[in-house]
Amino acid sequence: MLRIEGLSAEIDGKEILKGIDLEVPTGEVHAIMGPNGSGKSTLSYVLSGREGYEVTGGTATLNGVDILAMEPEERAAAGLFLAFQYPVELPGVGNATFLRTALNAVRKGRGESELDAMQFLKVARQRMKALSMPEDMLKRGVNVGFSGGEKKRNEILQMAMLEPSMAILDETDSGLDIDALKIVSDGVNAMRGPGFSALVITHYQRLLDYIVPDRVHVLMGGRIVKSGGPELAHELEAQGYGAIQEGLPSKHRFDGGEAAA
Amino acid sequence: MPAVNETIEAVQSVTESTYKWGFETDIEMEFAPKGLNEDIVRFISAKKNEPAWLLEWRLRAFALWKTMETPLWAAVKHPPIDFQDSYYYAAPKEKVGPKSLDEVDPELLKTYAKLGIPLREQEILAGVEGAGSTPAEGRMPIAIDAVFDSVSVATSYKERLGKEGIIFCSISEAVQEHPDLVKKYLGSVVPQGDNFYAALNSAVFTDGSFVYIPKGVRCPMELSTYFRINAKSTGQFERTLIIADAGSHVSYLEGCTAPMRDENQLHAAVVELVAMDDATIKYSTVQNWYPGDAEGKGGIYNFVTKRGACRGARSKISWTQVETGSAITWKYPSCILQGEDSVGEFYSVAITNNYQQADTGTKMFHIGPRTKSTIVSKGISAGHGQNTYRGLVRIGAKATGARNFTQCDSLLIGDLCGAHTVPYIENRCMSAKVEHEATTSRIAEDQLFYCRQRGLTQEEAVGLIVNGFCREVLKELPMEFAVEAQKLLQISLEGSVG
Ligand SMILES: Nc1ncnc2c1ncn2[C@@H]1O[C@H](COP(=O)(O)OP(=O)(O)OP(=O)(O)O)[C@@H](O)[C@H]1O
Ligand SMILES: [Mg+2]
């Protein structure tokens, strides 16, 4: 389970996260929604240890272990996975090579034996089939020349292979066509269970029809300003973020409230 | 697929942060007196029982060398080399002829083992009972001619190659056994006075490999030489000559290592290739001479002249090199495209880390009509490394319809290193087409983070990205050596990223 308390962080001296409190119990899927620029991706980077994001306060633990002090690869080995909003291209690095290297690195970190080429291929083929990915994608360079949707699917393939205990999916739904949305959601739902939790960042209620969250949180101005059940997503879809903004005490208002108005 | 995975395994298994080939072998050596003069040239020639014509050939080279000056145009810096402060001949005292493989000094075999010469080849080198000439299951057979300091001590697979009429032996042996071939081709591609280091080599070369592939024969295995510099203060001057007769085909691999030493050692090889009508020569090099320590102390000075002549129509010469070692690398494997429709290729990866300097590239001389050349150069600089691609594409007036494509990519790791591209294009033919592309990039922070988020350490991530960057070149290497090359890339870059 992921427990975040009072987490604040800055980039280049600019404070982006301003005290996040959030708990995702084991086995649950939570959604994070929020306006552009509110700090959703920043939160995912801070949790996964990206360089340049400085934690200025608060704590974050994964299954009771403080992750903020770890190297990014140690967090990955500890079970944290981030599906990137913008998956990165690695020219010349074969997708299969990358997947297998990553898988064995994570397995090693977990004290499991490494998979040989045959074992790896077997698992990879299975997972790709489930995600309706053509097998020749294994041979191509990581994300190189992939369409937007293919890149997202590739992220989910990596998640399915690495079997994390905590996955953060940053706008994995954007760029997916209707069928792909369903396939990817099925992929995530298949992993749901006692050993898996997820934080799903999205702008659209539609995804949450497929991946039904246990909780929905609204992130605005670097804070979780509202939490609720799946119905909260419907409310947001109907009324937008403005309504929430209105209801907040001015010190929590994204626009600074009356002072700025 | 499986091979690719094997590669990754190999890449991952590498954790040593030092030059792991830095061992010395304790074998009794025989030296010529230190220094260089006519007597030394005569001494070497006499030691090798050479015919009079070869001694004269050497002496002519020596006379030329004395009139020449060290070339200064390359972008490399080093203190002047004292050519009198070196030994020009060193040989293991025990006479180990190729016919008595089982008498090979165990120390030498240990050396081969440390070099990573495949076990099977070691057994064959050592003449182990029943080792025969069949390679281990599933492996491409490889024949090895090992040059240990100055004398080629052993050659394997000779019999099997002999059946095809292929000659693969040390050049000293070829001088004795096939003098006509040697006389006809030696110096025919790289003349004695070609350049300062080639002249030096011509005067004092001690050994190297000789290959002759007869008409229409496809060499059934990779031919391979492992060079190794062992004795202190010996220059290594090998001379390699490969002749592919009409319609023949050969793939040759050269791998090099040298022990760790504080002083700089000189290596000045000459390689000549000749391809007749429809013949193909593929020449691959994996060079990991000792690069010097992290402060730039020690390391090999590698001044090499490699040139191939595509004499015949439709002949093809392809150079592939992975240069990870040496303090200084100065080499320009070149192709003289004489035969019509002949093809020259140059695929290169050069890494410079710490204080290494590399000035390397190629020259493509288009002489015949419709000749074609491809140049793909990948330069990687890290630490204080300086990497220069220097290339010449010259298209003569008669090379109608000639084509060249050049791609030079540089990858920078850190802020203290440098990458330079110096392409010369001389085109005297209207109908020829020359294309040149060049890029310089850095390993992006988001690429590193992406890899690390997936569980790779910083160094594994760099290794993976660099291997991806070099892929177009690495895929040209025979699979066996591609694995080794990828390992080397990672080792060479260790500590290069904070
Ligand atoms: N290097 C930087 N310097 C200053 N501000 C930055 C830097 N990087 C990001 N930001 C700012 O941080 C804020 C949060 O960005 P973040 O990417 O976390 O938003 P988001 O909630 O994921 O938005 P979206 O929904 O558009 O993906 C934005 O205002 C962004 O401009
Ligand atoms: Mg975002």
Side-chain angles (χ1 to χ4, degrees):
Chain A
M1 96 158 169
L2 179 68
R3 185 197 298 260
I4 304 168
E5 280 171 5
L7 185 63
S8 12
E10 55 180 44
I11 321 170
D12 293 339
K14 186 182 165 199
E15 191 179 36
I16 310 284
L17 302 185
K18 303 174 180 169
I20 302 250
D21 293 301
L22 182 67
E23 204 177 297
V24 185
T26 306
E28 291 194 7
V29 171
H30 289 202
I32 292 190
M33 303 182 82
N36 294 131
S38 57
K40 303 181 298 297
S41 294
T42 302
L43 175 63
S44 71
Y45 292 146
V46 169
L47 291 175
S48 49
R50 186 167 191 161
E51 232 170 83
Y53 291 76
E54 205 191 325
V55 176
T56 50
T59 58
T61 58
L62 181 63
N63 306 322
V65 185
D66 172 19
I67 53 169
L68 294 182
M70 296 180 175
E71 296 292 332
E73 59 270 28
E74 292 168 341
R75 303 184 197 201
L80 184 70
F81 179 90
L82 170 62
F84 284 58
Q85 182 174 2
Y86 305 108
V88 178
E89 299 186 5
L90 302 175
V93 180
N95 219 13
T97 302
F98 183 64
L99 262 179
R100 182 159 175 248
T101 309
L103 180 56
N104 281 335
V106 166
R107 287 180 67 97
K108 215 164 98 189
R110 292 197 294 233
E112 296 168 8
S113 69
E114 300 191 4
L115 293 190
D116 66 30
M118 293 318 291
Q119 293 166 318
F120 163 79
L121 260 185
K122 209 176 140 204
V123 185
R125 285 199 176 117
Q126 225 172 358
R127 299 280 193 274
M128 289 183 87
K129 208 172 151 209
L131 290 165
S132 302
M133 290 173 74
E135 217 180 288
D136 69 1
M137 275 192 149
L138 277 180
K139 293 192 199 109
R140 292 171 58 183
V142 177
N143 294 324
V144 178
F146 284 26
S147 75
E150 285 169 345
K151 284 183 183 170
K152 296 301 179 73
R153 229 183 281 202
N154 203 31
E155 294 291 287
I156 297 303
L157 171 66
Q158 293 175 31
M159 179 183 77
M161 296 289 298
L162 299 181
E163 299 180 317
S165 59
M166 175 74 219
I168 304 171
L169 310 184
D170 192 355
E171 293 195 31
T172 302
D173 54 333
S174 19
L176 291 180
D177 67 40
I178 301 158
D179 294 339
L181 185 67
K182 174 116 189 19
I183 291 164
V184 163
S185 304
D186 288 347
V188 176
N189 287 330
M191 294 188 68
R192 289 178 87 153
F196 177 78
S197 348
L199 203 50
V200 178
I201 298 170
T202 183
H203 285 299
Y204 308 106
Q205 145 65 26
R206 198 186 40 180
L207 173 70
L208 305 181
D209 286 341
Y210 292 112
I211 304 173
V212 180
D214 297 287
R215 300 282 290 164
V216 175
H217 308 277
V218 181
L219 180 64
M220 281 173 90
R223 283 188 191 86
I224 303 287
V225 294
K226 193 165 184 178
S227 298
E231 72 289 346
L232 179 56
H234 288 277
E235 263 169 56
L236 288 171
E237 186 104 329
Q239 299 167 13
Y241 294 108
I244 293 184
Q245 185 96 338
E246 295 305 316
L248 291 176
S250 67
K251 68 163 187 162
H252 277 166
R253 281 182 61 165
F254 182 41
D255 60 3
E258 282 101 67
Chain B
M1 241 324 289
V4 171
N5 286 310
E6 225 166 78
T7 294
I8 289 305
E9 233 159 76
V11 168
Q12 282 183 337
S13 72
V14 174
T15 48
E16 296 94 323
S17 56
T18 48
Y19 185 74
K20 80 174 187 190
W21 296 271
F23 52 88
E24 255 178 70
T25 305
D26 194 12
I27 290 176
E28 266 198 276
M29 302 293 283
E30 184 180 11
F31 291 95
K34 217 176 199 180
L36 183 54
N37 53 48
E38 233 185 75
D39 287 342
I40 292 290
V41 177
R42 287 176 193 283
F43 174 91
I44 293 169
S45 190
K47 268 282 161 203
K48 305 176 91 51
N49 271 322
E50 286 176 355
W53 68 263
L54 189 50
L55 173 60
E56 267 163 44
W57 193 89
R58 285 176 180 275
L59 290 171
R60 203 157 57 237
F62 183 67
L64 284 167
W65 179 72
K66 280 195 297 186
T67 68
M68 299 170 94
E69 284 176 30
T70 332
L72 295 174
W73 43 262
V76 294
K77 288 195 204 99
H78 59 84
I81 300 168
D82 182 356
F83 291 95
Q84 298 305 332
D85 190 32
S86 196
Y87 294 100
Y88 288 84
Y89 183 83
K93 236 180 197 160
E94 194 184 326
K95 187 72 195 147
V96 276
K99 277 167 211 119
S100 52
L101 290 176
D102 48 340
E103 283 160 25
V104 171
D105 188 324
E107 285 292 319
L108 201 56
L109 293 174
K110 264 191 236 160
T111 303
Y112 293 145
K114 286 183 210 162
L115 279 173
I117 293 181
L119 202 68
R120 196 67 178 179
E121 275 72 24
Q122 271 185 56
E123 284 179 357
I124 293 163
L125 277 175
V128 167
E129 195 87 7
S133 58
T134 350
E137 219 178 301
R139 293 194 57 249
M140 263 293 288
I142 302 167
I144 292 179
D145 181 36
V147 178
F148 187 80
D149 280 319
S150 308
V151 177
S152 178
V153 285
T155 307
S156 59
Y157 285 111
K158 219 173 202 169
E159 273 173 47
R160 188 163 162 206
L161 294 171
K163 272 184 213 145
E164 308 261 7
I166 294 168
I167 304 167
F168 178 36
C169 61
S170 71
I171 197 140
S172 325
E173 198 184 333
V175 167
Q176 307 299 330
E177 309 288 327
H178 313 281
D180 294 347
L181 279 173
V182 176
K183 199 170 176 181
K184 183 168 171 195
Y185 290 104
L186 186 73
S188 75
V189 188
V190 179
Q192 290 129 301
D194 186 80
N195 67 67
F196 182 84
Y197 295 105
L200 178 62
N201 174 289
S202 300
V204 300
F205 76 85
T206 38
D207 221 328
S209 295
F210 177 83
V211 177
Y212 174 78
I213 315 287
K215 283 196 174 98
V217 171
R218 202 182 164 89
C219 186
M221 61 186 80
E222 306 274 349
L223 301 181
S224 168
T225 303
Y226 278 81
F227 290 118
R228 187 173 147 76
I229 299 178
N230 193 55
K232 278 188 189 180
S233 296
T234 52
Q236 179 141 352
F237 304 94
E238 338 87 21
R239 185 100 197 175
T240 293
L241 178 56
I242 299 177
I243 302 139
D245 217 328
S248 69
H249 182 285
V250 62
S251 170
Y252 184 90
L253 187 119
E254 165 199 302
C256 329
T257 38
M260 250 183 268
R261 290 262 170 57
D262 284 350
E263 76 254 48
N264 297 100
Q265 282 177 289
L266 177 64
H267 178 257
V270 171
V271 175
E272 297 178 279
L273 312 182
V274 179
M276 309 309 279
D277 285 354
D278 299 294
T280 296
I281 302 175
K282 185 173 171 62
Y283 192 105
S284 315
T285 305
V286 175
Q287 185 264 115
N288 63 330
W289 301 114
Y290 180 52
D293 67 13
E295 272 77 52
K297 203 162 165 234
I300 298 284
Y301 289 171
N302 193 23
F303 297 93
V304 177
T305 306
K306 289 181 166 174
R307 195 175 300 152
C310 282
R311 298 232 164 108
R314 296 167 303 277
S315 55
K316 176 175 171 182
I317 289 179
S318 180
W319 299 99
T320 306
Q321 60 174 26
V322 175
E323 305 280 322
T324 68
S326 293
I328 295 176
T329 300
W330 181 98
K331 72 184 269 202
Y332 315 90
S334 305
C335 296
I336 300 171
L337 303 171
Q338 252 170 298
E340 54 182 42
D341 297 293
S342 59
V343 175
E345 292 176 340
F346 175 72
Y347 295 97
S348 169
V349 168
I351 290 200
T352 52
N353 194 4
N354 297 322
Y355 285 88
Q356 282 177 274
Q357 309 172 60
D359 193 301
T360 185
T362 184
K363 298 177 194 171
M364 294 289 177
F365 300 97
H366 290 258
I367 297 166
R370 297 176 306 280
T371 45
K372 214 176 119 189
S373 64
T374 304
I375 299 170
V376 178
S377 160
K378 304 279 182 176
I380 298 143
S381 319
H384 292 79
Q386 291 296 325
N387 213 320
T388 302
Y389 167 82
R390 191 181 300 277
L392 168 67
V393 175
R394 179 177 292 162
I395 298 186
K398 287 179 188 145
T400 48
R403 294 191 57 174
N404 161 264
F405 174 73
T406 300
Q407 187 188 327
C408 293
D409 297 322
S410 308
L411 188 68
L412 300 173
I413 303 174
D415 303 324
L416 303 170
C417 55
H420 320 276
T421 303
V422 193
Y424 298 92
I425 297 169
E426 299 170 17
N427 190 350
R428 294 207 193 86
C429 178
M430 288 297 286
S431 62
K433 203 169 142 197
V434 180
E435 286 173 86
H436 181 95
E437 285 175 11
T439 65
T440 300
S441 54
R442 287 178 184 279
I443 293 187
E445 179 275 330
D446 64 348
Q447 293 179 319
L448 284 178
F449 175 61
Y450 191 62
C451 293
R452 295 181 74 187
Q453 206 306 300
R454 299 300 185 250
L456 278 67
T457 63
Q458 178 102 330
E459 283 185 344
E460 288 167 339
V462 169
L464 197 71
I465 293 166
V466 166
N467 274 312
F469 173 75
C470 301
R471 197 184 143 79
E472 283 158 278
V473 173
L474 297 180
K475 74 177 166 49
E476 295 295 324
L477 283 177
M479 190 45 80
E480 299 273 340
F481 302 107
V483 175
E484 182 182 5
Q486 299 205 0
K487 250 195 290 188
L488 280 174
L489 294 189
Q490 177 145 350
I491 296 171
S492 318
L493 287 170
E494 263 167 21
S496 63
V497 183

